[in-house]
Amino acid sequence: MKAKIIAITALASASLSLNAQQLSYTPDLVLGHRSYTYMHNINYQLNERLKLNNLTLFDTEYNKDKENIFFIRNTLSYNLTKRLSANAALGMKNPGAFFSIYLQYKIIQSSYSLSYSIGTTYQKGFSLEQSVSFEYTPYLTENFKGYFSVLAIGNLDDSGYPRGLQFVRLGVKQNKMMYGVASNFDQFNNGKKTLENIGAFVKYNF
Protein backbone atom coordinates (compact mmCIF):
# COMPACT_ATOMS: atom_id res chain seq x y z
CA MET A 1 0.00 0.00 0.00
CA LYS A 2 2.85 2.39 0.86
CA ALA A 3 4.44 1.84 -2.55
CA LYS A 4 1.18 2.62 -4.37
CA ILE A 5 0.79 5.88 -2.40
CA ILE A 6 4.30 6.91 -3.50
CA ALA A 7 3.40 6.18 -7.12
CA ILE A 8 0.15 8.17 -6.97
CA THR A 9 1.94 11.11 -5.32
CA ALA A 10 4.61 11.13 -8.01
CA LEU A 11 2.04 11.06 -10.80
CA ALA A 12 0.02 13.86 -9.20
CA SER A 13 3.13 16.02 -8.81
CA ALA A 14 3.97 15.51 -12.46
CA SER A 15 0.46 16.47 -13.60
CA LEU A 16 0.41 19.64 -11.50
CA SER A 17 3.84 20.67 -12.72
CA LEU A 18 2.74 20.58 -16.36
CA ASN A 19 0.95 23.90 -15.87
CA ALA A 20 4.25 25.72 -15.40
CA GLN A 21 6.13 27.48 -18.18
CA GLN A 22 9.63 26.63 -19.44
CA LEU A 23 9.03 23.06 -18.42
CA SER A 24 9.60 19.65 -20.00
CA TYR A 25 8.12 16.34 -18.89
CA THR A 26 9.34 12.94 -20.11
CA PRO A 27 7.56 9.82 -18.80
CA ASP A 28 8.96 6.33 -19.43
CA LEU A 29 6.80 3.24 -18.82
CA VAL A 30 8.12 -0.35 -18.89
CA LEU A 31 5.95 -3.47 -18.84
CA GLY A 32 8.36 -6.26 -17.99
CA HIS A 33 8.31 -9.94 -17.12
CA ARG A 34 8.74 -9.27 -13.38
CA SER A 35 7.26 -5.84 -12.78
CA TYR A 36 6.11 -2.59 -14.27
CA THR A 37 8.26 0.53 -14.01
CA TYR A 38 7.26 4.17 -14.19
CA MET A 39 10.00 6.78 -14.48
CA HIS A 40 9.91 10.45 -15.38
CA ASN A 41 12.13 13.50 -15.71
CA ILE A 42 10.66 16.95 -15.14
CA ASN A 43 12.89 19.95 -15.94
CA TYR A 44 12.05 23.54 -15.12
CA GLN A 45 14.39 26.24 -16.42
CA LEU A 46 14.56 29.13 -13.93
CA ASN A 47 16.99 31.20 -16.02
CA GLU A 48 19.98 30.68 -18.31
CA ARG A 49 22.07 29.09 -15.55
CA LEU A 50 19.63 27.65 -13.00
CA LYS A 51 17.42 24.59 -13.53
CA LEU A 52 15.23 22.43 -11.31
CA ASN A 53 14.84 18.72 -12.01
CA ASN A 54 12.63 16.02 -10.57
CA LEU A 55 13.53 12.41 -11.31
CA THR A 56 11.05 9.83 -10.08
CA LEU A 57 11.29 6.06 -10.45
CA PHE A 58 8.76 3.53 -9.19
CA ASP A 59 9.07 -0.21 -9.83
CA THR A 60 6.61 -2.75 -8.47
CA GLU A 61 5.91 -6.42 -9.04
CA TYR A 62 2.52 -7.32 -10.43
CA ASN A 63 1.19 -9.44 -7.59
CA LYS A 64 3.03 -8.31 -4.46
CA ASP A 65 4.99 -5.43 -2.94
CA LYS A 66 7.98 -7.48 -1.71
CA GLU A 67 10.54 -6.14 -4.21
CA ASN A 68 9.34 -2.57 -4.72
CA ILE A 69 11.95 -0.01 -5.77
CA PHE A 70 11.42 3.72 -5.45
CA PHE A 71 13.64 6.71 -6.19
CA ILE A 72 12.62 10.37 -5.99
CA ARG A 73 15.28 13.07 -6.44
CA ASN A 74 14.86 16.85 -6.63
CA THR A 75 17.92 18.64 -8.02
CA LEU A 76 19.01 22.26 -8.36
CA SER A 77 21.58 22.68 -11.16
CA TYR A 78 23.85 25.65 -11.86
CA ASN A 79 25.59 25.84 -15.24
CA LEU A 80 29.25 26.68 -14.71
CA THR A 81 29.89 26.47 -18.47
CA LYS A 82 27.88 25.32 -21.48
CA ARG A 83 28.69 21.67 -20.69
CA LEU A 84 29.59 21.61 -16.98
CA SER A 85 27.12 22.05 -14.11
CA ALA A 86 27.19 21.88 -10.31
CA ASN A 87 24.27 20.10 -8.67
CA ALA A 88 22.71 19.68 -5.23
CA ALA A 89 19.93 17.15 -4.68
CA LEU A 90 17.55 15.91 -1.98
CA GLY A 91 15.48 12.77 -2.29
CA MET A 92 14.17 9.43 -1.14
CA LYS A 93 15.23 5.96 -2.25
CA ASN A 94 15.46 2.48 -0.78
CA PRO A 95 16.12 2.49 2.16
CA GLY A 96 15.47 6.18 3.01
CA ALA A 97 16.31 9.87 2.54
CA PHE A 98 19.55 11.02 0.89
CA PHE A 99 21.48 14.16 -0.07
CA SER A 100 23.86 14.51 -3.02
CA ILE A 101 26.27 17.05 -4.45
CA TYR A 102 27.91 16.34 -7.79
CA LEU A 103 29.38 17.72 -11.01
CA GLN A 104 27.91 16.82 -14.39
CA TYR A 105 29.51 17.10 -17.82
CA LYS A 106 27.11 16.89 -20.75
CA ILE A 107 27.45 16.86 -24.54
CA ILE A 108 24.32 17.32 -26.66
CA GLN A 109 24.34 16.89 -30.43
CA SER A 110 21.56 16.44 -32.98
CA SER A 111 21.74 12.63 -33.00
CA TYR A 112 23.22 11.82 -29.59
CA SER A 113 23.76 13.03 -26.04
CA LEU A 114 26.25 11.93 -23.40
CA SER A 115 26.54 12.90 -19.76
CA TYR A 116 28.83 11.86 -16.92
CA SER A 117 28.32 12.75 -13.26
CA ILE A 118 30.51 12.28 -10.21
CA GLY A 119 29.97 13.36 -6.63
CA THR A 120 29.06 12.24 -3.14
CA THR A 121 25.80 10.97 -1.68
CA TYR A 122 24.93 10.77 2.00
CA GLN A 123 22.49 8.06 3.10
CA LYS A 124 23.44 6.50 6.42
CA GLY A 125 27.03 7.34 5.45
CA PHE A 126 28.89 8.87 2.51
CA SER A 127 29.43 7.14 -0.81
CA LEU A 128 31.03 8.06 -4.12
CA GLU A 129 28.34 8.11 -6.80
CA GLN A 130 28.97 8.05 -10.53
CA SER A 131 26.51 7.94 -13.40
CA VAL A 132 26.70 7.72 -17.19
CA SER A 133 23.85 8.42 -19.57
CA PHE A 134 24.01 7.95 -23.34
CA GLU A 135 21.29 8.41 -25.95
CA TYR A 136 21.62 7.84 -29.72
CA THR A 137 18.92 8.57 -32.32
CA PRO A 138 20.16 7.97 -35.90
CA TYR A 139 17.79 8.48 -38.86
CA LEU A 140 16.28 5.27 -40.26
CA THR A 141 13.76 6.86 -42.64
CA GLU A 142 12.33 10.35 -43.12
CA ASN A 143 9.80 9.82 -40.31
CA PHE A 144 11.57 7.31 -38.07
CA LYS A 145 14.75 7.35 -36.06
CA GLY A 146 16.46 4.56 -34.22
CA TYR A 147 16.54 4.89 -30.45
CA PHE A 148 19.21 3.53 -28.11
CA SER A 149 19.82 4.68 -24.55
CA VAL A 150 21.83 3.50 -21.55
CA LEU A 151 21.70 4.80 -17.99
CA ALA A 152 24.15 3.38 -15.44
CA ILE A 153 24.51 4.52 -11.82
CA GLY A 154 26.86 3.10 -9.20
CA ASN A 155 27.71 3.88 -5.56
CA LEU A 156 30.99 2.97 -3.88
CA ASP A 157 31.80 3.23 -0.17
CA ASP A 158 34.06 1.57 2.40
CA SER A 159 31.88 -1.56 2.29
CA GLY A 160 32.21 -1.94 -1.49
CA TYR A 161 29.35 -1.56 -3.96
CA PRO A 162 26.11 -0.93 -2.03
CA ARG A 163 23.88 0.09 -4.96
CA GLY A 164 23.90 0.05 -8.73
CA LEU A 165 21.53 0.06 -11.68
CA GLN A 166 21.66 -0.18 -15.46
CA PHE A 167 18.74 0.69 -17.75
CA VAL A 168 18.90 -0.08 -21.48
CA ARG A 169 16.37 0.90 -24.16
CA LEU A 170 16.41 -0.15 -27.83
CA GLY A 171 13.71 0.80 -30.30
CA VAL A 172 12.48 3.52 -32.63
CA LYS A 173 11.60 7.18 -32.28
CA GLN A 174 8.63 8.72 -34.09
CA ASN A 175 8.32 12.47 -33.51
CA LYS A 176 8.22 12.80 -29.70
CA MET A 177 7.44 9.15 -28.94
CA MET A 178 9.91 6.32 -28.41
CA TYR A 179 9.06 2.63 -28.02
CA GLY A 180 10.76 -0.75 -28.16
CA VAL A 181 12.39 -3.28 -25.81
CA ALA A 182 13.76 -2.46 -22.37
CA SER A 183 15.90 -4.10 -19.71
CA ASN A 184 16.38 -2.92 -16.13
CA PHE A 185 19.08 -4.36 -13.84
CA ASP A 186 19.45 -3.49 -10.13
CA GLN A 187 22.12 -4.52 -7.63
CA PHE A 188 22.02 -4.14 -3.85
CA ASN A 189 24.52 -4.86 -1.04
CA ASN A 190 27.61 -5.66 -3.11
CA GLY A 191 25.58 -7.70 -5.57
CA LYS A 192 24.16 -10.03 -2.91
CA LYS A 193 20.70 -9.08 -4.13
CA THR A 194 19.94 -8.49 -7.81
CA LEU A 195 16.74 -7.79 -9.73
CA GLU A 196 16.02 -7.94 -13.45
CA ASN A 197 13.10 -6.73 -15.51
CA ILE A 198 12.91 -7.23 -19.29
CA GLY A 199 10.00 -6.17 -21.46
CA ALA A 200 8.59 -3.36 -23.62
CA PHE A 201 8.79 0.39 -23.07
CA VAL A 202 7.12 3.54 -24.30
CA LYS A 203 8.53 7.02 -23.69
CA TYR A 204 7.25 10.47 -24.64
CA ASN A 205 8.78 13.95 -24.64
CA PHE A 206 6.20 16.59 -23.68
Side-chain angles (χ1 to χ4, degrees), residues 1-43:
M1 184 64 183
K2 179 181 176 182
K4 290 178 173 59
I5 292 172
I6 293 172
I8 292 169
T9 302
L11 287 168
S13 299
S15 299
L16 290 172
S17 297
L18 285 175
N19 294 322
Q21 296 179 351
Q22 298 177 320
L23 180 139
S24 66
Y25 167 53
T26 305
D28 181 327
L29 180 66
V30 175
L31 299 177
H33 75 287
R34 183 188 62 82
S35 65
Y36 68 85
T37 304
Y38 169 80
M39 180 170 66
H40 74 233
N41 261 293
I42 299 175
N43 290 295

Side-chain angles (χ1 to χ4, degrees), residues 186-204:
D186 291 89
Q187 304 88 41
F188 302 85
N189 302 325
N190 295 315
K192 294 178 181 178
K193 177 182 177 181
T194 61
L195 295 173
E196 300 176 356
N197 194 38
I198 299 172
F201 82 94
V202 59
K203 183 176 179 180
Y204 195 89

Side-chain angles (χ1 to χ4, degrees), residues 28-170:
D28 181 327
L29 180 66
V30 175
L31 299 177
H33 75 287
R34 183 188 62 82
S35 65
Y36 68 85
T37 304
Y38 169 80
M39 180 170 66
H40 74 233
N41 261 293
I42 299 175
N43 290 295
Y44 181 71
Q45 197 72 41
L46 296 171
N47 54 47
E48 291 183 356
R49 289 187 177 273
L50 283 173
K51 180 176 71 174
L52 290 172
N53 170 267
N54 170 261
L55 173 62
T56 295
L57 166 70
F58 178 74
D59 182 287
T60 184
E61 294 180 323
Y62 295 110
N63 298 319
K64 53 187 177 180
D65 290 343
K66 181 181 178 182
E67 304 290 359
N68 284 336
I69 300 171
F70 66 91
F71 182 96
I72 301 171
R73 183 183 68 193
N74 298 297
T75 305
L76 177 64
S77 297
Y78 181 80
N79 290 333
L80 301 170
T81 68
K82 183 179 179 180
R83 294 182 174 179
L84 183 66
S85 64
N87 304 268
L90 287 169
M92 293 282 294
K93 63 178 178 178
N94 308 76
F98 70 91
F99 171 74
S100 298
I101 53 172
Y102 61 95
L103 292 174
Q104 182 182 56
Y105 185 80
K106 193 167 188 177
I107 300 171
I108 301 177
Q109 300 293 334
S110 58
S111 63
Y112 74 91
S113 65
L114 173 67
S115 72
Y116 170 73
S117 301
I118 185 169
T120 185
T121 293
Y122 180 81
Q123 186 184 41
K124 297 182 178 180
F126 287 98
S127 66
L128 174 69
E129 181 170 314
Q130 299 182 78
S131 70
V132 176
S133 176
F134 176 72
E135 188 174 286
Y136 181 49
T137 55
Y139 270 101
L140 299 177
T141 67
E142 184 178 350
N143 298 318
F144 287 89
K145 292 182 177 182
Y147 181 75
F148 174 70
S149 73
V150 177
L151 170 64
I153 300 174
N155 288 84
L156 298 172
D157 63 13
D158 54 5
S159 70
Y161 180 60
R163 182 71 171 97
L165 63 84
Q166 302 83 40
F167 290 172
V168 181
R169 308 283 185 265
L170 179 63

